[in-house]
Amino acid sequence: MQVKEIMTKSPRTVTPDTGLLEVVSLMCLYRYSGLPVMEGEKMVGFIAEKDVFHRLFPTLEDMMSDGLGAGDYSNMMDKYKDVVNLKVSDLMATDVITVSPNQHILQAATTMVRHKFRRIPVAEAGVLQGMLSLGDVHKAIFQANMAGSKTATPPVAVGM
């Protein structure tokens, strides 16, 4: 099974000039873990939740010079308001790792696991084709192996 068979074909995108407040709102409301950054038809980066969170934490240099310790987590949380006033271009990754729409889904999943990604852009010749999540891969494998199987256990309703 190929990536193009299971990917999201029209993913939500942002531009380098998009404010982070809009991006983090999308992340929180729609549970996006990351979004491709586009300039016209060209993908120029990727912004992920981890990029936002990395900005909250002090660098090793800051910790050594300021003596920040475990008790300073409240101050780190307060920095969030400063971070969301930035633009995507201030935090986005520009060395974007992608997978091909023609790759086998397990080859794409291997790339995702190796880089600790939950979501990855699907591109061909630098042109964004879609997005793939580990959930997409898992669902496809489940359906391919368990659909119509007598060994599949039906889901159990919890909390009813």
Side-chain angles (χ1 to χ4, degrees), residues 123-144:
E124 194 161 53
V127 177
L128 182 67
Q129 304 290 312
M131 288 291 291
L132 181 70
S133 73
L134 282 178
D136 297 332
V137 175
H138 190 185
K139 181 179 176 182
I141 293 168
F142 176 83
Q143 289 176 337

Side-chain angles (χ1 to χ4, degrees), residues 70-91:
D72 293 317
Y73 291 117
S74 292
N75 291 335
M76 285 188 241
M77 281 190 63
D78 292 342
K79 286 176 51 178
Y80 186 79
K81 292 174 190 154
D82 297 330
V83 172
V84 298
N85 286 320
L86 299 172
K87 292 185 183 267
V88 167
S89 59
D90 295 321
L91 297 181

Side-chain angles (χ1 to χ4, degrees), residues 3 5 7 11 16 31 43 52 58 63 68 74-76 83 87 90 94 110 114 117 119 121-122 125 127 134 143 160:
V3 168
E5 297 173 56
M7 70 184 187
R31 300 187 66 187
M43 185 170 48
V52 175
M63 288 174 66
L68 293 173
S74 292
N75 291 335
M76 285 188 241
V83 172
K87 292 185 183 267
D90 295 321
T94 55
T110 300
R114 184 176 345 122
F117 295 161
R119 176 176 304 278
V122 180
V127 177
L134 282 178
Q143 289 176 337
M160 296 186 96

Side-chain angles (χ1 to χ4, degrees), residues 4-22:
K4 64 184 170 190
E5 297 173 56
I6 66 168
M7 70 184 187
T8 299
K9 292 180 174 60
S10 298
R12 173 78 170 147
T13 63
V14 294
T15 68
D17 292 328
T18 303
L20 277 177
L21 182 57
E22 180 180 339

